[in-house]
Amino acid sequence: MAPRVRLLLLFVIWTLADPVRLGSDSEGDGGWQQRGPREPAAVAEEERCTVERRADLSYAEFVQYYAFSRPVILQGLTDNSRFRALCSRERLLASFGNNVVRLSTANTYSYQKVDLPFQEYVEQLLHPQDPTSLGNDTLYFFGDNNFTEWASLFQHYSPPTFSLLGTTPAYSFGIAGAGSGVPFHWHGPGFSEVIYGRKRWFLYPHEKTPEFHPNETTLSWLQNIYPALTPSARPLECTIHTGEVLYFPDRWWHATLNLDTSVFISTFLS
């Protein structure tokens, strides 16, 4: 068999053995960065990341320096390349397009819920945030996942290997448009991984309550409140990129802002 024919045959066998390697994920953004007449919100990364990044963190160091005291960005902790391929726009719509998903309003308390087909959310509501919209006018897909219906996807996710004694992990999967996010709130500790896109985080320790309105979007807060903050009053902040995991301790205030159309999954420790 000629070398060229042998290489072609090996390539065909390789792709058939693992078809998840094919598809829109080869574009690098999973097909989520749809360009159309509505351009993404003009939001930039922070001038300087003030959350430490660690690529070689041991569990002992995690517990000693971060678990109960401050956030940290973890790099290379797990390999979720297969899960990422399954989260491409094309694959999620093919697998879950007809599933009904529960959306929450993007304000601090997220009281209002709306149910609609996942495909309708992606094709009609997944657009850049309107800077003039209020949080209770903005629908956001995160959490409230039906774990039975999404089990075939979640079984491929490798959560962070670090855990805390006495806690039980719970997933929260989401997809949101550029400029969207959730304003300041707090809850138990957890990890948040970006699968596609970029997510900017703002964090305060619990004893330092941020200045914000619970119905003001993070985008509006960034444009109207953030510029007037003194250096000492500014939060810890950083943009989490694809494949990175942010850990936040118990009861830390945090707000999020998606710089692109983003796919993300959080592991809450409750």
Side-chain angles (χ1 to χ4, degrees):
M1 184 182 295
R4 186 172 181 179
V5 175
R6 185 183 297 112
L7 285 174
L8 179 60
L9 180 60
L10 287 173
F11 175 75
V12 171
I13 294 174
W14 176 67
T15 53
L16 289 177
D18 191 2
V20 78
R21 289 191 175 98
L22 297 179
S24 60
D25 187 40
S26 62
E27 300 173 5
D29 62 13
W32 290 105
Q33 308 312 321
Q34 303 290 314
R35 296 293 180 261
R38 303 182 67 173
E39 291 299 318
V43 184
E45 295 188 18
E46 67 287 338
E47 293 182 2
R48 183 175 69 90
C49 172
T50 52
V51 179
E52 189 176 1
R53 278 186 163 92
R54 292 293 303 270
D56 56 352
L57 191 66
S58 68
Y59 179 68
E61 289 177 306
F62 169 71
V63 172
Q64 181 177 359
Y65 298 114
Y66 305 103
F68 308 103
S69 57
R70 65 184 191 270
V72 62
I73 299 167
L74 306 168
Q75 297 176 312
L77 194 62
T78 54
D79 179 9
N80 276 306
S81 54
R82 181 176 180 81
F83 180 76
R84 180 171 298 109
L86 292 170
C87 288
S88 71
R89 189 178 192 273
E90 179 182 356
R91 287 184 175 274
L92 283 186
L93 286 176
S95 300
F96 305 101
N98 293 326
N99 286 24
V100 173
V101 294
R102 173 155 292 183
L103 310 181
S104 302
T105 51
N107 51 14
T108 294
Y109 305 112
S110 302
Y111 287 143
Q112 184 181 349
K113 308 291 183 179
V114 175
D115 294 340
L116 79 170
F118 177 62
Q119 183 162 348
E120 183 177 334
Y121 171 70
V122 170
E123 294 181 348
Q124 299 184 23
L125 299 181
L126 199 61
H127 49 66
Q129 174 74 47
D130 181 349
T132 64
S133 294
L134 296 175
N136 60 8
D137 295 327
T138 304
L139 293 175
Y140 192 85
F141 175 45
F142 72 105
D144 285 321
N145 306 124
N146 185 317
F147 290 94
T148 300
E149 293 183 353
W150 292 79
S152 60
L153 175 66
F154 292 157
Q155 68 180 346
H156 295 288
Y157 180 64
S158 297
T161 53
F162 297 157
S163 61
L164 298 177
L165 290 177
T167 64
T168 302
Y171 293 153
S172 175
F173 180 70
I175 304 171
S180 65
V182 179
F184 282 104
H185 62 287
W186 59 266
H187 43 67
F191 301 90
S192 184
E193 179 169 354
V194 171
I195 306 303
Y196 286 112
R198 298 171 298 159
K199 182 182 284 286
R200 187 171 169 181
W201 284 71
F202 308 89
L203 304 110
Y204 287 100
H206 188 70
E207 65 274 11
K208 193 173 182 179
T209 304
E211 178 186 352
F212 75 103
H213 189 284
N215 200 32
E216 182 181 37
T217 64
T218 307
L219 180 60
S220 178
W221 175 86
L222 181 65
Q223 294 175 340
N224 300 324
I225 304 298
Y226 179 90
L229 296 176
T230 63
S232 62
R234 289 198 170 186
L236 293 179
E237 58 179 306
C238 200
T239 297
I240 312 303
H241 297 91
T242 296
E244 293 187 319
V245 178
L246 172 76
Y247 170 77
F248 50 89
D250 185 30
R251 295 166 63 88
W252 269 62
W253 290 97
H254 54 278
T256 60
L257 182 65
N258 298 293
L259 305 190
D260 313 297
T261 298
S262 299
V263 181
F264 46 89
I265 184 168
S266 296
T267 305
F268 293 123
L269 305 176
S270 59

